[in-house]
């Protein structure tokens, strides 16, 4: 990522994670920022918006904290957060709807000790309804294999 010519791209954030740690790289307003590897010890919050991060960051952060304050499994809290839409303020919602943009899908990746499972859900129209493609799962290799 460090060697990329980011000038040809619109602003973006890349997050690469495994079960225990993550790396973050941000390209925004002519500035490149990379953050060192950090451990995943609690639910983490990232957000961006074409409306401007300053418009959505605070209300989405408050919603995130509210969703994860309840004693529920992280996955259920995460699903509730990503499906949320504020009536009357759909444009700033996590599951937002605007005339010029809306998410067309949601992809979930779950990494356990022995498997990686991906669930893809396509959005139907501009509502909250999703249709799933079914989980795709791959086993993780245990240890490394030696070539003869």
């Amino acid at each position: 990522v460090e060697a990329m010519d980011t000038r040809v791209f619109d602003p973006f954030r890349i997050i690469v994670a495994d079960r225990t740690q993550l790396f973050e790289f941000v390209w925004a307003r002519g500035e490149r920022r990379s953050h060192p590897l950090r451990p995943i010890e609690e639910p983490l919050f990232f957000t961006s918006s074409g409306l401007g991060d300053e418009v959505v960051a605070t209300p989405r952060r408050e919603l995130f904290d509210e969703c994860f304050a309840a004693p529920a499994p992280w996955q259920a809290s995460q699903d509730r957060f990503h499906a949320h839409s504020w009536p009357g303020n759909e444009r700033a919602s996590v599951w937002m709807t605007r005339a010029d943009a809306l998410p067309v899908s949601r992809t979930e990746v779950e990494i356990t000790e022995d498997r990686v499972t991906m669930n893809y859900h396509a959005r139907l129209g501009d509502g909250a309804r999703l249709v799933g493609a079914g989980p795709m799962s791959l086993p993780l290799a245990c240890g490394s294999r030696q070539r003869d």
Side-chain angles (χ1 to χ4, degrees):
V1 182
E2 296 291 339
M4 282 173 63
D5 181 4
T6 51
R7 296 172 296 173
V8 300
F9 297 104
D10 288 334
F12 65 87
R13 170 183 282 133
I14 295 175
I15 298 169
V16 179
D18 65 13
R19 293 185 69 235
T20 61
Q21 60 189 356
L22 71 86
F23 168 78
E24 179 184 8
F25 178 85
V26 179
W27 162 246
R29 296 187 181 111
E31 180 184 346
R32 299 163 57 111
R33 290 177 302 179
S34 62
H35 303 274
L37 283 174
R38 62 179 169 166
I40 300 172
E41 298 170 336
E42 61 186 358
L44 299 169
F45 174 79
F46 303 95
T47 194
S48 63
S49 172
L51 292 174
D53 294 357
E54 64 282 354
V55 173
V56 301
T58 299
R60 288 181 183 178
R61 178 68 210 206
E62 291 170 355
L63 174 65
F64 181 86
D65 290 344
E66 181 183 310
C67 286
F68 282 91
W74 283 10
Q75 187 174 2
S77 298
Q78 176 179 293
D79 290 349
R80 190 169 68 248
F81 174 76
H82 282 110
H84 189 273
S85 181
W86 284 292
N89 194 13
E90 291 83 1
R91 68 187 202 106
S93 296
V94 177
W95 191 249
M96 62 88 163
T97 302
R98 297 195 322 251
D100 63 334
L102 56 83
V104 296
S105 65
R106 186 173 71 221
T107 303
E108 302 151 356
V109 178
E110 182 178 356
I111 305 169
T112 63
E113 289 183 24
D114 61 348
R115 301 197 76 70
V116 175
T117 303
M118 182 188 86
N119 282 292
Y120 175 83
H121 308 274
R123 186 176 194 170
L124 298 178
D126 63 359
R129 190 155 173 242
L130 297 170
V131 61
M136 296 174 21
S137 187
L138 295 171
L140 292 175
C142 295
S144 61
R145 292 186 183 185
Q146 221 175 16
R147 291 187 173 192
D148 294 323

